[in-house]
Amino acid sequence: MDSIVLQLLNGLDKGGAYALIALGLTLIFGTLGVVNFAHGALFMLGAFCAVSFQKLLTLSTKVKDESVTFFESYTDVPYLQMWFGDTGMKIIDYAVPLSILFTIPVMLLIGVSLERGLIRHFYRRPHADQILVTFGLAIVLQEIVKSYFGANPIPQAAPAAFAGSANVGELLGLGDSVVYPWWRLIYFAFSAAVVAIVFAFLRYTTFGMVVRAGMRDRETVGLLGINIQRRFTIVFGMAVVVAGIAGAMYTPILPPDYHMGMDFLVLSFVVVVVGGMGSLPGAVAAGFLLGILQSFASMNEIKGIIPGIDQIIIYLIAVVILLVRPRGLMGRKGVMED
Amino acid sequence: MENQNRRTVLKGMAVTGASIAAPSFFVRNAWAADFRNDPSKSKTAKFGFTVPLSGAYADEGADEVRALELAVKHLNGEGDGGMLKTFKPSVLKGNGVLGKKIEYVTGDTQTKSDMARSVAKRMVEKDGVIMWTGGSSSGEAVAMSALAQEIGVIFMCGLTHSNDTTGKDKRRYAFRHFFNAYMSGKALGPVLAKEYGKERKAYHLTADYTWGWTQEESMKNSTEALGWKTTAAVRTPLGAGDFSQYITPVLNSGADVLILNHYGKDMINSLTQAVQFGLRDKMVNGKKFEIVVPLFSELMAQGAGDAIKGILGTSNWDWQLPDAATKAFVKSFGAAYGQPPSQAAQTCYVQALLYANACEMAGTFYPPEVIKQLEGFKFDGLGNGPTEYRAADHQCMKDVLVVRGKQKPTNKFDLLEVVQVVPRSAVEYDPKIFGGELGPYTV
């Protein structure tokens, strides 16, 4: 029982990341009809926004370290610490959650300029062209990050207050053996909140209503005198922001490197396909579902029966679901079927 | 007509062959001098550094390059000379090797065996290196050792800890200065039993490639011999990043020790995550839960931060050792880079010096002669105390350090403390136990 609860929790935080990326992918596909292979790279850019923000906060001056005697050594003392003392250290401690404030405008800017500068030229081109250009874009973004930050993962610490783990078992009455890191729980809550905000935005605002209408029938909305293109640009920006903050908040869980986006991209596409192309709730549901199944497949009891199942479970599930429901879990008729 | 032609050609060839061969009857070793990338006609000789600059072991690779660049400087007589001054017996003069100035090329192996092999092959074929060194994974080392034997160029292994490197995959053209998993197990076992008792249940998480497998086996053998039980041994893909799905099953497996057969970034991630999951605060079977990292280094300790404090493991070398050689090397490295060298750096530096010295002793770069000088070579003054390059398997035999993550570091580099220097006699073994053949001298 304990291990089931633990793997469920494990699946939730992993699923959270899948769901957020898949949500952005589906938004872009549903509105602009573009298959965006650069989405993983945008997740990675978000993570590096957090890294940059951390660097910004810890801009330092060098002070000689007297305790090192065998050669000249210097310790970095952040300006924030020099100016504000403990308050400065506290701000640095909370660099990751604070980095969201930095990530949102940066990613929005990146998103809108990408759409205006590059992606819009590909709306009327075949899907194959779109895949090629966005994949190329992903490689370019990766190499830029690699040349600037290097190829190594850069560990980011969660705020000290959330560094330990929560005794989930006690809360659920399962005893002491079920503990789970705070930050991972926070990540799950965070992703659920972002999903809720995006859905509420699309459901309850006029802007959202127009976008939803545009997703259904772009032409009619255009005929009603609405500039649907401009709204779709904003939706693209929004999807990029979602991927970005998903990446930024994920950094304490997985130290970011330039390649992390690709690892998530492939899985997220499977998530989108399993959820049903163009279906937002499908993407979210499939994200969590696959995250949880992947975790369960890593249990020793299951690996004992089918060795290596943890590596292939996602693709296996995708095959099964596509055989049983060719349009995915919640896919609508007519999407990508022309 | 055709026949006549062929005959003429054959005659011509015979005459040419004889005339080329003739002078060599009077020159000693002249046949021997005919070998790949012979630098004797050139003013310089080129070394190749195959190091991972990306991937799971990128930090180690970067430090290896620093050390190797320093070694080249010292060999060429630049800088303060580092361990050239303490190395005994040495015939190195600080004027290059056999009078040739040393140059070098560097290539990124990406912590991948196939990449390591192709980078090394290119260095030999395109850049004309006379020897290459580096590498920070046993997968890379085993792949490159095989290549060295195939193409007849010596490979001085960098950081590689798998038993296979000088065990079943040993090669005449490959040499390892670094210690191995078997020696780690032998050295660490008694210390573990002393600190944690003889009734323990261990859970292994193991990097899924040659080093991980032999490390797991050696640790199992040595701990089980002391009375420990092994609850489970789970393989994890190299560079997995998120280990949470492998760590959660540990929590209620009934094990009270977690042995992390991970290295580099893998180890930093798995250890940090294990600590995040509260493993070090747990009590199991009435005992405090412990984590053991059989192989670790300063670089990993830096990456893992507080998580490493109090954790036991083994090391090939540590920059805080008190001997004169270590001091000279650390001084020289620190002056150049503003930080102390890691064990990966030390082993590569030493390997470059050992190779250069063997060439000087042999009086030639001809690989079979250089190999014969290295085999059975006994030396001191390179930071590890008295050391021997065992002829039977090309494994350096020397003392092993049992180390612990320091609880109260006095500066940012003061991360490990040496718990015990386990003497060579306690970790020595019969080279036959791992099988394998060195292969021929000439290829």
Side-chain angles (χ1 to χ4, degrees), chain B residues 15-39:
Chain B
V15 172
T16 324
S19 56
I20 291 171
S24 57
F25 295 130
F26 312 107
V27 184
R28 189 178 148 258
N29 275 345
W31 282 115
D34 184 23
F35 57 93
R36 196 191 276 269
N37 298 339
D38 178 7

Side-chain angles (χ1 to χ4, degrees), chain A residues 2 10 152 165 179 184 298 300, chain B residues 58-59 203 245 252 276-277:
Chain A
D2 296 359
N10 247 337
N152 291 336
S165 29
V179 292
R184 286 170 188 264
S298 311
N300 290 343
Chain B
D59 280 354
Y203 192 108
Q245 53 185 321
N252 41 28
Q276 276 176 6
F277 273 89

Side-chain angles (χ1 to χ4, degrees), chain B residues 55-338:
Chain B
Y57 299 157
D59 280 354
E60 277 74 13
D63 218 38
E64 288 183 353
V65 174
R66 288 185 202 115
L68 287 166
E69 286 176 350
L70 198 64
V72 168
K73 263 190 200 159
H74 292 166
L75 286 173
N76 286 335
E78 298 160 27
D80 65 0
M83 284 201 273
L84 240 63
K85 294 175 295 189
T86 54
F87 178 21
K88 283 186 189 66
S90 155
V91 288
L92 290 170
K93 302 175 195 77
N95 62 346
V97 179
L98 296 171
K100 313 278 178 204
K101 191 170 186 278
I102 298 301
E103 292 178 330
Y104 62 89
V105 284
T106 307
D108 180 10
T109 63
Q110 303 175 7
T111 322
K112 290 178 188 156
S113 310
D114 52 344
M115 198 61 199
R117 190 185 154 92
S118 68
V119 167
K121 196 157 190 280
R122 197 185 63 230
M123 281 180 178
V124 171
E125 287 172 354
K126 296 256 163 54
D127 301 315
V129 302
I130 180 66
M131 175 279 290
W132 86 91
T133 176
S136 193
S137 116
S138 293
E140 294 176 342
V142 167
M144 292 196 285
S145 299
L147 176 73
Q149 188 73 26
E150 274 168 42
I151 56 182
V153 174
I154 293 177
F155 167 50
M156 302 295 282
C157 306
L159 193 154
T160 156
H161 189 247
S162 169
N163 294 337
D164 293 347
T165 312
T166 47
K168 79 175 173 54
D169 296 313
K170 59 175 165 267
R171 294 286 185 271
R172 185 71 65 190
Y173 278 74
F175 288 84
R176 168 161 69 181
H177 168 263
F178 208 69
F179 69 145
N180 62 29
Y182 180 90
M183 294 154 93
S184 281
K186 276 278 178 200
L188 191 54
V191 179
L192 290 179
K194 197 175 106 206
E195 301 244 344
Y196 303 147
K198 293 195 170 177
E199 281 182 25
R200 283 282 189 170
K201 289 181 184 150
Y203 192 108
H204 291 254
L205 285 182
T206 302
D208 197 2
Y209 73 104
T210 168
W211 168 68
W213 305 330
T214 65
Q215 165 92 56
E216 179 190 298
E217 192 193 354
S218 295
M219 282 308 293
K220 259 192 200 168
N221 290 345
S222 104
T223 52
E224 281 172 6
L226 294 162
W228 287 25
K229 291 194 173 59
T230 306
T231 308
V234 174
R235 305 277 161 89
T236 62
L238 183 61
D242 188 3
F243 289 90
S244 59
Q245 53 185 321
Y246 302 105
I247 290 169
T248 38
V250 183
L251 291 169
N252 41 28
S253 61
D256 46 32
V257 178
L258 173 63
I259 298 182
L260 291 174
N261 299 309
H262 289 148
Y263 193 73
K265 286 279 173 280
D266 270 7
M267 177 266 166
I268 294 172
N269 285 337
S270 66
L271 177 63
T272 315
Q273 287 161 9
V275 173
Q276 276 176 6
F277 273 89
L279 280 177
R280 296 194 72 191
D281 312 321
K282 265 171 84 79
M283 294 291 287
V284 181
N285 309 329
K287 300 178 201 100
K288 191 174 172 304
F289 194 97
E290 300 289 351
I291 301 176
V292 177
V293 178
L295 174 64
F296 70 49
S297 79
E298 233 94 21
L299 291 174
M300 287 150 56
Q302 242 167 21
D306 284 347
I308 198 91
K309 286 180 180 170
I311 285 182
L312 283 169
T314 59
S315 230
N316 189 53
W317 175 82
D318 186 82
W319 69 270
Q320 305 208 64
L321 287 170
D323 60 295
T326 298
K327 281 189 174 144
F329 180 48
V330 172
K331 184 161 171 272
S332 171
F333 194 96
Y337 306 111

Side-chain angles (χ1 to χ4, degrees), chain A residues 2-3 6-7 10 14 65 67-68 70-71 73-74 151-153 163-165 177 179-181 184 250 252-255 294 298 300 303 310-311, chain B residues 53-55 58-59 203 234 237 241-242 244-246 248-249 251-252 265 269 273 276-278 282 319 330 334-335 338-340 410-413:
Chain A
D2 296 359
S3 50
L6 276 171
Q7 293 296 8
N10 247 337
K14 214 169 273 166
D65 187 347
S67 63
V68 179
F70 55 99
F71 57 79
S73 172
Y74 295 90
N152 291 336
S165 29
S177 62
V179 292
Y180 206 73
R184 286 170 188 264
Y250 207 66
I253 297 177
L254 186 65
Q294 194 184 21
S298 311
N300 290 343
K303 276 202 297 191
D310 51 330
Q311 309 285 320
Chain B
L53 296 174
S54 53
D59 280 354
Y203 192 108
V234 174
D242 188 3
S244 59
Q245 53 185 321
Y246 302 105
T248 38
L251 291 169
N252 41 28
K265 286 279 173 280
N269 285 337
Q273 287 161 9
Q276 276 176 6
F277 273 89
K282 265 171 84 79
W319 69 270
V330 172
Q339 64 187 61
T410 55
N411 61 59
K412 66 175 174 177
F413 305 119

Side-chain angles (χ1 to χ4, degrees), chain A residues 16 27 64 84 108 110 136 167 254 267:
Chain A
L27 265 179
K64 185 147 181 5
F84 304 113
L108 193 64
I110 291 174
N167 200 333
L254 186 65
L267 289 172

